[in-house]
Amino acid sequence: MLQIKNLHASVGGKAILNGLDLTLPKGEVHAIMGPNGSGKSTLAFLLAGREGYEVTAGGVTYEGRDLLAMAPEERAREGLFLAFQYPIEIPGVPTASFLKTAVNAVRKARGLPQYDAVEFLKILKAKRDFLGIGDDMLRRALNVGFSGGEKKRAEVLQMLLLEPRLAVLDETDSGLDIDALRIVAEGINALRSPDRAILLITHYQRLLDYVVPDRVHVLTGGRIERSGGKELAQELERQGYVGTAA
Amino acid sequence: MTATAAIRHKPFPYVERFAALAASLPGAGHPNVVALRQAAAEQARRAGLPTQRVEPWKYTSLNRLLETDFEPASSAARPAANDAAGWTVPGSYRLVFVNGRLAGGRSAAGLPDGVTLTTLADALARGDDDWATGAASSGHPFVALNTAFLTDGLVLRVARGVKVAQPIHLLFLGSGEAGASAIHTRLVIRLEPGAGIDVIERHAASGAGVYWSNPVCDIRLSEGARLGHAKFIDEGAEAMHIAVTGVEVAADAAYDSFVLTTGGALARNEIRVTLDGERAGCRLDGLYLGRDRQHIDNTTETIHAQPMTTSTETYKGVLEGKARAVFQGRIVVRPDAQKSDGRQLNKTLLLSDRAEIDTKPELEIHADDVKCSHGAAIGEIDADALFYLRARGIGAEEGTRMLVEAFAAELIDGIADKSVASLARGRLAAWLAGSAPGGTA
Ligand SMILES: Nc1ncnc2c1ncn2[C@@H]1O[C@H](COP(=O)(O)OP(=O)(O)O)[C@@H](O)[C@H]1O
Ligand SMILES: [Mg+2]
């Protein structure tokens, strides 16, 4: 599904990714762990299409297509989803109408009929109840005045509504209490399926108790330094390697 | 630079049409009206039009007006039945003026006792001249032109303590189809103590072509009165709209203004408010949406003349293409106006690097115990916000539209009157959808 080959990228002349290789097959969940500043968010943003990065070598293919040549909205419509580490606050845009616009934009691109307000509310209700998101939150401006935990749950809600084929979650577990973490993990697990892939970027192995990954990769200095099975996460935790750089 | 560059005023040939026209203007049979008009024409002739050497006109050129050969708009203009369709305010009392003359009926049916509506044509025909004595009667060249050439408009009086629930809705339509035409209307509002009413004033095109709208609005609010005044400038794409509004606010009275400008090749809206009694207050809010080569000028002056007066002002704009906007906001606090509070904010979103805004706040404070603030911000669409929307599958264009709408909606959400807020939302949506400015729909 996703193939990253020898990816080198820099921001403002500063090299951040230095030859990153990663293959994520359909149906699998991979975790990327690494200390702060190792380039995890940079990788996530590059995959989603944020501007400002210079790819100096290597490339990324998604379902056989050159991902880096696609506009961000095109990537989203083709099934890529990024849960932001720091979701952007957008004053004046009501959350509920944003969600409907996004879902309909993606459905349109996929040749599916548009939801009207009533249909959308029904779908929204089913997913948001599951995440414990109230009506009042959906009436507020997008992410404005949301607590840290609310922002993360809103990201998961968007993910469930957009039904991506490749979900990249950038520290969606950070700053959550144990109950919220369980809910978020449940949301992620609900998405797991043989024709989807998930890339979990995390700082702690805590989330991986709930969403058990097929592979774990360690990102340091802008490249994958080690890869292994789920037991690698526990090993890193024991050695105190991952957590201490925070 | 040539020697003529220092010229502060240029003669305006249009004034010379007054002599031939005077006998046919309403009120021509009344010596007091004739004298008033003649004095105004003389003043306008002497004043000419200000050039950009005159400070309040520094950023707005009147060359286009000077260079056009205007005729006073013809009364033979078509009635506006179709033009006015699609622009109705449920439950409002409406008057339509086409090319400066009332079109259709004027019955005051449904208006409560204590509300008097007199068209200026009627007032002039019976020799009234008290309409000319208010806040907008100062030596302003465009007020003088209006007084000299005035054809119609409205005098609205609300009696002591009468609170009118139903808004008065005035639609001014202009057309340049029969050649470049000049339209001179006046709106006079007098609220007696404790009276309250909302007025919605809209200016739009009923036909294509060049026309110049020269409206004057003269408002006097007595003690404890409240006026909500919403103005929509949706003039035609080739139109020029140069308006002067003068407001006097007595003690405990409140003037609440909202101006939305989407139309006109050149639109200048000038509002001058004097807070002339203790605790008098005003709110001046505005939204300007410009594209192509539009030039939109909002010039305001708020004079705090008495203690404990308050003013708040927020003007927001969105400009694309080669549109240019001007915001000049002056707050004057006179020596007596202790404990006054004046706040002003201007924010502009530039969607193209060829769009331009000149923003000029001015505070002139002669009292020591006052609170005054002003701020101006000019920005572009927030790249992070746009990326977030695109990352959810929303296209760049639609995402930009959403962010522009959010920027503008913040101001519209603050409008207390629901019908005004909904008209404003409709205009904003039409503008965002790219509809040409000045349509009457
Ligand atoms: N826009 C930027 N400009 C300059 N440096 C950046 C920018 N974005 C990220 N960096 C730097 O790149 C490195 C990796 O950042 P990031 O990808 O956010 O790391 P992580 O998510 O693993 O904590 C850090 O040193 C960070 O300071
Ligand atoms: Mg990060």
PDB file of all heavy atoms in Angstrom, chain A residues 49-50 72-73 76-77 81-82 84 90-92 98 101 105 143 155 158, chain B residues 382 384-385 387-396 398 402-403 406 409:
ATOM      1  N   GLY A  49       1.086  15.860   2.491  1.00  0.00           N
ATOM      2  CA  GLY A  49       1.216  16.858   1.430  1.00  0.00           C
ATOM      3  C   GLY A  49       1.366  18.293   1.900  1.00  0.00           C
ATOM      4  O   GLY A  49       1.085  19.218   1.145  1.00  0.00           O
ATOM      5  N   ARG A  50       1.833  18.488   3.116  1.00  0.00           N
ATOM      6  CA  ARG A  50       2.035  19.859   3.571  1.00  0.00           C
ATOM      7  C   ARG A  50       3.175  20.499   2.782  1.00  0.00           C
ATOM      8  O   ARG A  50       4.155  19.840   2.439  1.00  0.00           O
ATOM      9  CB  ARG A  50       2.376  19.840   5.058  1.00  0.00           C
ATOM     10  CG  ARG A  50       2.408  21.194   5.715  1.00  0.00           C
ATOM     11  CD  ARG A  50       2.620  20.964   7.211  1.00  0.00           C
ATOM     12  NE  ARG A  50       2.454  22.178   7.965  1.00  0.00           N
ATOM     13  CZ  ARG A  50       3.430  22.710   8.697  1.00  0.00           C
ATOM     14  NH1 ARG A  50       4.615  22.144   8.744  1.00  0.00           N
ATOM     15  NH2 ARG A  50       3.203  23.800   9.384  1.00  0.00           N
ATOM     16  N   PRO A  72      -2.664  17.723  -1.640  1.00  0.00           N
ATOM     17  CA  PRO A  72      -3.143  17.180  -0.362  1.00  0.00           C
ATOM     18  C   PRO A  72      -4.579  16.665  -0.442  1.00  0.00           C
ATOM     19  O   PRO A  72      -4.890  15.588   0.089  1.00  0.00           O
ATOM     20  CB  PRO A  72      -3.055  18.373   0.594  1.00  0.00           C
ATOM     21  CG  PRO A  72      -2.134  19.341  -0.029  1.00  0.00           C
ATOM     22  CD  PRO A  72      -2.118  19.089  -1.502  1.00  0.00           C
ATOM     23  N   GLU A  73      -5.471  17.435  -1.103  1.00  0.00           N
ATOM     24  CA  GLU A  73      -6.876  17.010  -1.158  1.00  0.00           C
ATOM     25  C   GLU A  73      -7.031  15.742  -1.982  1.00  0.00           C
ATOM     26  O   GLU A  73      -7.885  14.902  -1.702  1.00  0.00           O
ATOM     27  CB  GLU A  73      -7.782  18.130  -1.682  1.00  0.00           C
ATOM     28  CG  GLU A  73      -7.462  18.675  -3.059  1.00  0.00           C
ATOM     29  CD  GLU A  73      -6.517  19.880  -2.985  1.00  0.00           C
ATOM     30  OE1 GLU A  73      -5.611  19.881  -2.124  1.00  0.00           O
ATOM     31  OE2 GLU A  73      -6.675  20.810  -3.799  1.00  0.00           O
ATOM     32  N   ALA A  76      -6.158  12.853   0.176  1.00  0.00           N
ATOM     33  CA  ALA A  76      -7.254  12.552   1.103  1.00  0.00           C
ATOM     34  C   ALA A  76      -8.371  11.819   0.371  1.00  0.00           C
ATOM     35  O   ALA A  76      -8.950  10.865   0.884  1.00  0.00           O
ATOM     36  CB  ALA A  76      -7.776  13.841   1.726  1.00  0.00           C
ATOM     37  N   ARG A  77      -8.669  12.277  -0.847  1.00  0.00           N
ATOM     38  CA  ARG A  77      -9.757  11.651  -1.611  1.00  0.00           C
ATOM     39  C   ARG A  77      -9.392  10.229  -2.026  1.00  0.00           C
ATOM     40  O   ARG A  77     -10.257   9.376  -2.183  1.00  0.00           O
ATOM     41  CB  ARG A  77     -10.061  12.499  -2.850  1.00  0.00           C
ATOM     42  CG  ARG A  77     -10.693  13.835  -2.489  1.00  0.00           C
ATOM     43  CD  ARG A  77     -10.669  14.798  -3.644  1.00  0.00           C
ATOM     44  NE  ARG A  77     -11.135  16.121  -3.224  1.00  0.00           N
ATOM     45  CZ  ARG A  77     -11.105  17.202  -3.990  1.00  0.00           C
ATOM     46  NH1 ARG A  77     -10.622  17.111  -5.231  1.00  0.00           N
ATOM     47  NH2 ARG A  77     -11.530  18.349  -3.546  1.00  0.00           N
ATOM     48  N   PHE A  81      -5.304   9.457   5.238  1.00  0.00           N
ATOM     49  CA  PHE A  81      -5.768  10.321   6.319  1.00  0.00           C
ATOM     50  C   PHE A  81      -4.647  10.539   7.311  1.00  0.00           C
ATOM     51  O   PHE A  81      -3.984   9.599   7.729  1.00  0.00           O
ATOM     52  CB  PHE A  81      -6.965   9.696   7.040  1.00  0.00           C
ATOM     53  CG  PHE A  81      -7.483  10.546   8.172  1.00  0.00           C
ATOM     54  CD1 PHE A  81      -8.440  11.512   7.933  1.00  0.00           C
ATOM     55  CD2 PHE A  81      -6.982  10.391   9.464  1.00  0.00           C
ATOM     56  CE1 PHE A  81      -8.903  12.320   8.968  1.00  0.00           C
ATOM     57  CE2 PHE A  81      -7.442  11.199  10.503  1.00  0.00           C
ATOM     58  CZ  PHE A  81      -8.409  12.160  10.250  1.00  0.00           C
ATOM     59  N   LEU A  82      -4.451  11.807   7.692  1.00  0.00           N
ATOM     60  CA  LEU A  82      -3.492  12.118   8.750  1.00  0.00           C
ATOM     61  C   LEU A  82      -4.231  12.680   9.956  1.00  0.00           C
ATOM     62  O   LEU A  82      -4.932  13.687   9.850  1.00  0.00           O
ATOM     63  CB  LEU A  82      -2.461  13.162   8.265  1.00  0.00           C
ATOM     64  CG  LEU A  82      -1.592  13.795   9.361  1.00  0.00           C
ATOM     65  CD1 LEU A  82      -0.690  12.754  10.034  1.00  0.00           C
ATOM     66  CD2 LEU A  82      -0.735  14.944   8.806  1.00  0.00           C
ATOM     67  N   PHE A  84      -3.670  14.763  12.956  1.00  0.00           N
ATOM     68  CA  PHE A  84      -2.625  15.726  13.306  1.00  0.00           C
ATOM     69  C   PHE A  84      -2.205  15.589  14.768  1.00  0.00           C
ATOM     70  O   PHE A  84      -3.049  15.396  15.643  1.00  0.00           O
ATOM     71  CB  PHE A  84      -3.119  17.162  13.090  1.00  0.00           C
ATOM     72  CG  PHE A  84      -3.141  17.613  11.654  1.00  0.00           C
ATOM     73  CD1 PHE A  84      -3.828  16.887  10.682  1.00  0.00           C
ATOM     74  CD2 PHE A  84      -2.486  18.781  11.265  1.00  0.00           C
ATOM     75  CE1 PHE A  84      -3.864  17.311   9.367  1.00  0.00           C
ATOM     76  CE2 PHE A  84      -2.511  19.210   9.948  1.00  0.00           C
ATOM     77  CZ  PHE A  84      -3.197  18.476   9.003  1.00  0.00           C
ATOM     78  N   ILE A  90      -9.715  26.395  13.848  1.00  0.00           N
ATOM     79  CA  ILE A  90     -10.210  27.253  12.769  1.00  0.00           C
ATOM     80  C   ILE A  90     -11.457  28.008  13.233  1.00  0.00           C
ATOM     81  O   ILE A  90     -12.572  27.513  13.134  1.00  0.00           O
ATOM     82  CB  ILE A  90     -10.482  26.438  11.485  1.00  0.00           C
ATOM     83  CG1 ILE A  90      -9.250  25.598  11.132  1.00  0.00           C
ATOM     84  CG2 ILE A  90     -10.847  27.382  10.342  1.00  0.00           C
ATOM     85  CD1 ILE A  90      -9.290  24.920   9.794  1.00  0.00           C
ATOM     86  N   PRO A  91     -11.262  29.223  13.722  1.00  0.00           N
ATOM     87  CA  PRO A  91     -12.404  30.007  14.211  1.00  0.00           C
ATOM     88  C   PRO A  91     -13.390  30.281  13.077  1.00  0.00           C
ATOM     89  O   PRO A  91     -12.997  30.472  11.932  1.00  0.00           O
ATOM     90  CB  PRO A  91     -11.764  31.327  14.683  1.00  0.00           C
ATOM     91  CG  PRO A  91     -10.301  31.089  14.727  1.00  0.00           C
ATOM     92  CD  PRO A  91      -9.995  29.960  13.804  1.00  0.00           C
ATOM     93  N   GLY A  92     -14.657  30.269  13.415  1.00  0.00           N
ATOM     94  CA  GLY A  92     -15.681  30.653  12.436  1.00  0.00           C
ATOM     95  C   GLY A  92     -16.162  29.521  11.556  1.00  0.00           C
ATOM     96  O   GLY A  92     -17.120  29.693  10.810  1.00  0.00           O
ATOM     97  N   PHE A  98     -18.151  21.587   8.796  1.00  0.00           N
ATOM     98  CA  PHE A  98     -16.855  21.171   8.242  1.00  0.00           C
ATOM     99  C   PHE A  98     -16.849  19.663   7.960  1.00  0.00           C
ATOM    100  O   PHE A  98     -16.419  19.213   6.897  1.00  0.00           O
ATOM    101  CB  PHE A  98     -15.730  21.533   9.221  1.00  0.00           C
ATOM    102  CG  PHE A  98     -14.494  20.682   9.078  1.00  0.00           C
ATOM    103  CD1 PHE A  98     -13.608  20.884   8.033  1.00  0.00           C
ATOM    104  CD2 PHE A  98     -14.243  19.657   9.982  1.00  0.00           C
ATOM    105  CE1 PHE A  98     -12.489  20.079   7.887  1.00  0.00           C
ATOM    106  CE2 PHE A  98     -13.124  18.853   9.856  1.00  0.00           C
ATOM    107  CZ  PHE A  98     -12.241  19.065   8.795  1.00  0.00           C
ATOM    108  N   THR A 101     -18.882  18.882   4.895  1.00  0.00           N
ATOM    109  CA  THR A 101     -18.193  19.320   3.677  1.00  0.00           C
ATOM    110  C   THR A 101     -17.074  18.350   3.317  1.00  0.00           C
ATOM    111  O   THR A 101     -16.913  17.967   2.154  1.00  0.00           O
ATOM    112  CB  THR A 101     -17.605  20.733   3.871  1.00  0.00           C
ATOM    113  OG1 THR A 101     -18.654  21.601   4.291  1.00  0.00           O
ATOM    114  CG2 THR A 101     -17.000  21.265   2.587  1.00  0.00           C
ATOM    115  N   ALA A 105     -16.981  15.970   0.081  1.00  0.00           N
ATOM    116  CA  ALA A 105     -15.906  16.200  -0.893  1.00  0.00           C
ATOM    117  C   ALA A 105     -15.238  14.873  -1.248  1.00  0.00           C
ATOM    118  O   ALA A 105     -14.969  14.578  -2.420  1.00  0.00           O
ATOM    119  CB  ALA A 105     -14.883  17.190  -0.331  1.00  0.00           C
ATOM    120  N   ASN A 143     -12.162  22.725  16.403  1.00  0.00           N
ATOM    121  CA  ASN A 143     -11.039  22.612  17.344  1.00  0.00           C
ATOM    122  C   ASN A 143     -10.861  23.811  18.274  1.00  0.00           C
ATOM    123  O   ASN A 143      -9.965  23.811  19.118  1.00  0.00           O
ATOM    124  CB  ASN A 143      -9.705  22.365  16.609  1.00  0.00           C
ATOM    125  CG  ASN A 143      -9.673  21.013  15.935  1.00  0.00           C
ATOM    126  OD1 ASN A 143     -10.191  20.040  16.471  1.00  0.00           O
ATOM    127  ND2 ASN A 143      -9.088  20.951  14.741  1.00  0.00           N
ATOM    128  N   GLU A 155     -10.201  14.176  15.939  1.00  0.00           N
ATOM    129  CA  GLU A 155      -9.405  13.642  14.837  1.00  0.00           C
ATOM    130  C   GLU A 155      -9.854  12.217  14.502  1.00  0.00           C
ATOM    131  O   GLU A 155      -9.980  11.844  13.335  1.00  0.00           O
ATOM    132  CB  GLU A 155      -7.907  13.644  15.179  1.00  0.00           C
ATOM    133  CG  GLU A 155      -7.273  15.013  15.303  1.00  0.00           C
ATOM    134  CD  GLU A 155      -7.173  15.751  13.979  1.00  0.00           C
ATOM    135  OE1 GLU A 155      -6.380  15.351  13.112  1.00  0.00           O
ATOM    136  OE2 GLU A 155      -7.927  16.720  13.815  1.00  0.00           O
ATOM    137  N   GLN A 158     -13.110  12.253  12.669  1.00  0.00           N
ATOM    138  CA  GLN A 158     -12.918  12.567  11.253  1.00  0.00           C
ATOM    139  C   GLN A 158     -12.425  11.341  10.495  1.00  0.00           C
ATOM    140  O   GLN A 158     -12.867  11.050   9.387  1.00  0.00           O
ATOM    141  CB  GLN A 158     -11.914  13.710  11.087  1.00  0.00           C
ATOM    142  CG  GLN A 158     -12.427  15.037  11.611  1.00  0.00           C
ATOM    143  CD  GLN A 158     -11.379  16.130  11.534  1.00  0.00           C
ATOM    144  OE1 GLN A 158     -10.636  16.212  10.561  1.00  0.00           O
ATOM    145  NE2 GLN A 158     -11.311  16.969  12.550  1.00  0.00           N
TER     146      GLN A 158
ATOM    147  N   ASP B 382      -4.646  31.753   6.239  1.00  0.00           N
ATOM    148  CA  ASP B 382      -3.737  30.999   7.085  1.00  0.00           C
ATOM    149  C   ASP B 382      -3.385  29.660   6.418  1.00  0.00           C
ATOM    150  O   ASP B 382      -4.248  28.814   6.201  1.00  0.00           O
ATOM    151  CB  ASP B 382      -4.408  30.780   8.445  1.00  0.00           C
ATOM    152  CG  ASP B 382      -3.526  29.977   9.381  1.00  0.00           C
ATOM    153  OD1 ASP B 382      -2.291  30.033   9.215  1.00  0.00           O
ATOM    154  OD2 ASP B 382      -4.063  29.287  10.260  1.00  0.00           O
ATOM    155  N   ASP B 384      -1.715  27.043   7.397  1.00  0.00           N
ATOM    156  CA  ASP B 384      -1.927  25.825   8.187  1.00  0.00           C
ATOM    157  C   ASP B 384      -3.396  25.422   8.187  1.00  0.00           C
ATOM    158  O   ASP B 384      -3.730  24.243   8.087  1.00  0.00           O
ATOM    159  CB  ASP B 384      -1.459  26.031   9.630  1.00  0.00           C
ATOM    160  CG  ASP B 384       0.054  26.011   9.742  1.00  0.00           C
ATOM    161  OD1 ASP B 384       0.689  25.321   8.909  1.00  0.00           O
ATOM    162  OD2 ASP B 384       0.599  26.679  10.634  1.00  0.00           O
ATOM    163  N   ALA B 385      -4.269  26.446   8.311  1.00  0.00           N
ATOM    164  CA  ALA B 385      -5.700  26.154   8.324  1.00  0.00           C
ATOM    165  C   ALA B 385      -6.128  25.587   6.967  1.00  0.00           C
ATOM    166  O   ALA B 385      -6.879  24.613   6.892  1.00  0.00           O
ATOM    167  CB  ALA B 385      -6.492  27.418   8.646  1.00  0.00           C
ATOM    168  N   PHE B 387      -4.264  24.016   4.802  1.00  0.00           N
ATOM    169  CA  PHE B 387      -3.731  22.663   4.650  1.00  0.00           C
ATOM    170  C   PHE B 387      -4.585  21.648   5.414  1.00  0.00           C
ATOM    171  O   PHE B 387      -4.879  20.556   4.928  1.00  0.00           O
ATOM    172  CB  PHE B 387      -2.267  22.590   5.110  1.00  0.00           C
ATOM    173  CG  PHE B 387      -1.753  21.180   5.203  1.00  0.00           C
ATOM    174  CD1 PHE B 387      -1.642  20.397   4.060  1.00  0.00           C
ATOM    175  CD2 PHE B 387      -1.406  20.628   6.430  1.00  0.00           C
ATOM    176  CE1 PHE B 387      -1.196  19.085   4.130  1.00  0.00           C
ATOM    177  CE2 PHE B 387      -0.965  19.310   6.513  1.00  0.00           C
ATOM    178  CZ  PHE B 387      -0.866  18.542   5.366  1.00  0.00           C
ATOM    179  N   TYR B 388      -5.000  22.036   6.596  1.00  0.00           N
ATOM    180  CA  TYR B 388      -5.838  21.133   7.406  1.00  0.00           C
ATOM    181  C   TYR B 388      -7.110  20.764   6.642  1.00  0.00           C
ATOM    182  O   TYR B 388      -7.502  19.597   6.579  1.00  0.00           O
ATOM    183  CB  TYR B 388      -6.184  21.817   8.730  1.00  0.00           C
ATOM    184  CG  TYR B 388      -6.859  20.934   9.746  1.00  0.00           C
ATOM    185  CD1 TYR B 388      -6.136  20.013  10.492  1.00  0.00           C
ATOM    186  CD2 TYR B 388      -8.229  21.023   9.974  1.00  0.00           C
ATOM    187  CE1 TYR B 388      -6.752  19.205  11.441  1.00  0.00           C
ATOM    188  CE2 TYR B 388      -8.859  20.227  10.920  1.00  0.00           C
ATOM    189  CZ  TYR B 388      -8.113  19.316  11.650  1.00  0.00           C
ATOM    190  OH  TYR B 388      -8.731  18.519  12.579  1.00  0.00           O
ATOM    191  N   LEU B 389      -7.742  21.770   6.029  1.00  0.00           N
ATOM    192  CA  LEU B 389      -8.967  21.501   5.269  1.00  0.00           C
ATOM    193  C   LEU B 389      -8.678  20.624   4.054  1.00  0.00           C
ATOM    194  O   LEU B 389      -9.412  19.683   3.744  1.00  0.00           O
ATOM    195  CB  LEU B 389      -9.620  22.814   4.820  1.00  0.00           C
ATOM    196  CG  LEU B 389     -10.074  23.756   5.948  1.00  0.00           C
ATOM    197  CD1 LEU B 389     -10.671  25.031   5.369  1.00  0.00           C
ATOM    198  CD2 LEU B 389     -11.086  23.066   6.864  1.00  0.00           C
ATOM    199  N   ARG B 390      -7.584  20.918   3.364  1.00  0.00           N
ATOM    200  CA  ARG B 390      -7.240  20.129   2.173  1.00  0.00           C
ATOM    201  C   ARG B 390      -6.907  18.694   2.559  1.00  0.00           C
ATOM    202  O   ARG B 390      -7.225  17.755   1.829  1.00  0.00           O
ATOM    203  CB  ARG B 390      -6.063  20.776   1.437  1.00  0.00           C
ATOM    204  CG  ARG B 390      -6.422  22.132   0.854  1.00  0.00           C
ATOM    205  CD  ARG B 390      -5.219  22.774   0.191  1.00  0.00           C
ATOM    206  NE  ARG B 390      -4.912  22.137  -1.087  1.00  0.00           N
ATOM    207  CZ  ARG B 390      -3.843  22.423  -1.818  1.00  0.00           C
ATOM    208  NH1 ARG B 390      -2.959  23.323  -1.393  1.00  0.00           N
ATOM    209  NH2 ARG B 390      -3.643  21.808  -2.964  1.00  0.00           N
ATOM    210  N   ALA B 391      -6.264  18.532   3.712  1.00  0.00           N
ATOM    211  CA  ALA B 391      -5.918  17.191   4.174  1.00  0.00           C
ATOM    212  C   ALA B 391      -7.169  16.372   4.479  1.00  0.00           C
ATOM    213  O   ALA B 391      -7.091  15.168   4.700  1.00  0.00           O
ATOM    214  CB  ALA B 391      -5.020  17.268   5.410  1.00  0.00           C
ATOM    215  N   ARG B 392      -8.318  17.041   4.513  1.00  0.00           N
ATOM    216  CA  ARG B 392      -9.583  16.329   4.713  1.00  0.00           C
ATOM    217  C   ARG B 392     -10.358  16.174   3.409  1.00  0.00           C
ATOM    218  O   ARG B 392     -11.555  15.888   3.408  1.00  0.00           O
ATOM    219  CB  ARG B 392     -10.446  17.084   5.746  1.00  0.00           C
ATOM    220  CG  ARG B 392      -9.798  17.198   7.125  1.00  0.00           C
ATOM    221  CD  ARG B 392      -9.455  15.826   7.699  1.00  0.00           C
ATOM    222  NE  ARG B 392      -8.822  15.896   9.006  1.00  0.00           N
ATOM    223  CZ  ARG B 392      -7.583  15.470   9.255  1.00  0.00           C
ATOM    224  NH1 ARG B 392      -6.834  14.971   8.277  1.00  0.00           N
ATOM    225  NH2 ARG B 392      -7.094  15.530  10.473  1.00  0.00           N
ATOM    226  N   GLY B 393      -9.680  16.456   2.295  1.00  0.00           N
ATOM    227  CA  GLY B 393     -10.311  16.238   0.995  1.00  0.00           C
ATOM    228  C   GLY B 393     -11.013  17.456   0.421  1.00  0.00           C
ATOM    229  O   GLY B 393     -11.589  17.396  -0.663  1.00  0.00           O
ATOM    230  N   ILE B 394     -10.976  18.552   1.155  1.00  0.00           N
ATOM    231  CA  ILE B 394     -11.636  19.772   0.671  1.00  0.00           C
ATOM    232  C   ILE B 394     -10.675  20.500  -0.268  1.00  0.00           C
ATOM    233  O   ILE B 394      -9.517  20.739   0.081  1.00  0.00           O
ATOM    234  CB  ILE B 394     -12.033  20.663   1.871  1.00  0.00           C
ATOM    235  CG1 ILE B 394     -13.049  19.914   2.752  1.00  0.00           C
ATOM    236  CG2 ILE B 394     -12.585  22.002   1.404  1.00  0.00           C
ATOM    237  CD1 ILE B 394     -13.311  20.549   4.109  1.00  0.00           C
ATOM    238  N   GLY B 395     -11.133  20.831  -1.468  1.00  0.00           N
ATOM    239  CA  GLY B 395     -10.263  21.454  -2.461  1.00  0.00           C
ATOM    240  C   GLY B 395      -9.760  22.817  -2.003  1.00  0.00           C
ATOM    241  O   GLY B 395     -10.353  23.454  -1.133  1.00  0.00           O
ATOM    242  N   ALA B 396      -8.656  23.261  -2.607  1.00  0.00           N
ATOM    243  CA  ALA B 396      -8.034  24.518  -2.191  1.00  0.00           C
ATOM    244  C   ALA B 396      -9.001  25.691  -2.339  1.00  0.00           C
ATOM    245  O   ALA B 396      -9.070  26.565  -1.468  1.00  0.00           O
ATOM    246  CB  ALA B 396      -6.766  24.767  -3.009  1.00  0.00           C
ATOM    247  N   GLU B 398     -12.373  25.659  -2.418  1.00  0.00           N
ATOM    248  CA  GLU B 398     -13.477  25.604  -1.447  1.00  0.00           C
ATOM    249  C   GLU B 398     -12.970  25.893  -0.034  1.00  0.00           C
ATOM    250  O   GLU B 398     -13.635  26.572   0.746  1.00  0.00           O
ATOM    251  CB  GLU B 398     -14.172  24.237  -1.506  1.00  0.00           C
ATOM    252  CG  GLU B 398     -15.405  24.228  -0.626  1.00  0.00           C
ATOM    253  CD  GLU B 398     -16.259  22.982  -0.778  1.00  0.00           C
ATOM    254  OE1 GLU B 398     -15.828  22.031  -1.441  1.00  0.00           O
ATOM    255  OE2 GLU B 398     -17.374  22.997  -0.216  1.00  0.00           O
ATOM    256  N   MET B 402     -14.202  28.719   2.515  1.00  0.00           N
ATOM    257  CA  MET B 402     -14.640  28.459   3.896  1.00  0.00           C
ATOM    258  C   MET B 402     -13.942  29.393   4.879  1.00  0.00           C
ATOM    259  O   MET B 402     -14.551  29.912   5.807  1.00  0.00           O
ATOM    260  CB  MET B 402     -14.348  27.007   4.287  1.00  0.00           C
ATOM    261  CG  MET B 402     -15.289  25.994   3.656  1.00  0.00           C
ATOM    262  SD  MET B 402     -14.728  24.281   3.962  1.00  0.00           S
ATOM    263  CE  MET B 402     -15.230  24.074   5.675  1.00  0.00           C
ATOM    264  N   LEU B 403     -12.649  29.603   4.657  1.00  0.00           N
ATOM    265  CA  LEU B 403     -11.887  30.438   5.591  1.00  0.00           C
ATOM    266  C   LEU B 403     -12.263  31.909   5.452  1.00  0.00           C
ATOM    267  O   LEU B 403     -12.333  32.642   6.435  1.00  0.00           O
ATOM    268  CB  LEU B 403     -10.384  30.231   5.374  1.00  0.00           C
ATOM    269  CG  LEU B 403      -9.895  28.818   5.703  1.00  0.00           C
ATOM    270  CD1 LEU B 403      -8.431  28.643   5.319  1.00  0.00           C
ATOM    271  CD2 LEU B 403     -10.098  28.504   7.183  1.00  0.00           C
ATOM    272  N   ALA B 406     -15.549  32.305   7.134  1.00  0.00           N
ATOM    273  CA  ALA B 406     -15.382  32.309   8.584  1.00  0.00           C
ATOM    274  C   ALA B 406     -14.890  33.675   9.067  1.00  0.00           C
ATOM    275  O   ALA B 406     -15.360  34.208  10.069  1.00  0.00           O
ATOM    276  CB  ALA B 406     -14.404  31.221   9.000  1.00  0.00           C
ATOM    277  N   ALA B 409     -17.847  36.042   8.628  1.00  0.00           N
ATOM    278  CA  ALA B 409     -19.036  35.668   9.398  1.00  0.00           C
ATOM    279  C   ALA B 409     -18.922  36.112  10.854  1.00  0.00           C
ATOM    280  O   ALA B 409     -19.917  36.399  11.496  1.00  0.00           O
ATOM    281  CB  ALA B 409     -19.267  34.170   9.322  1.00  0.00           C
TER     282      ALA B 409
END
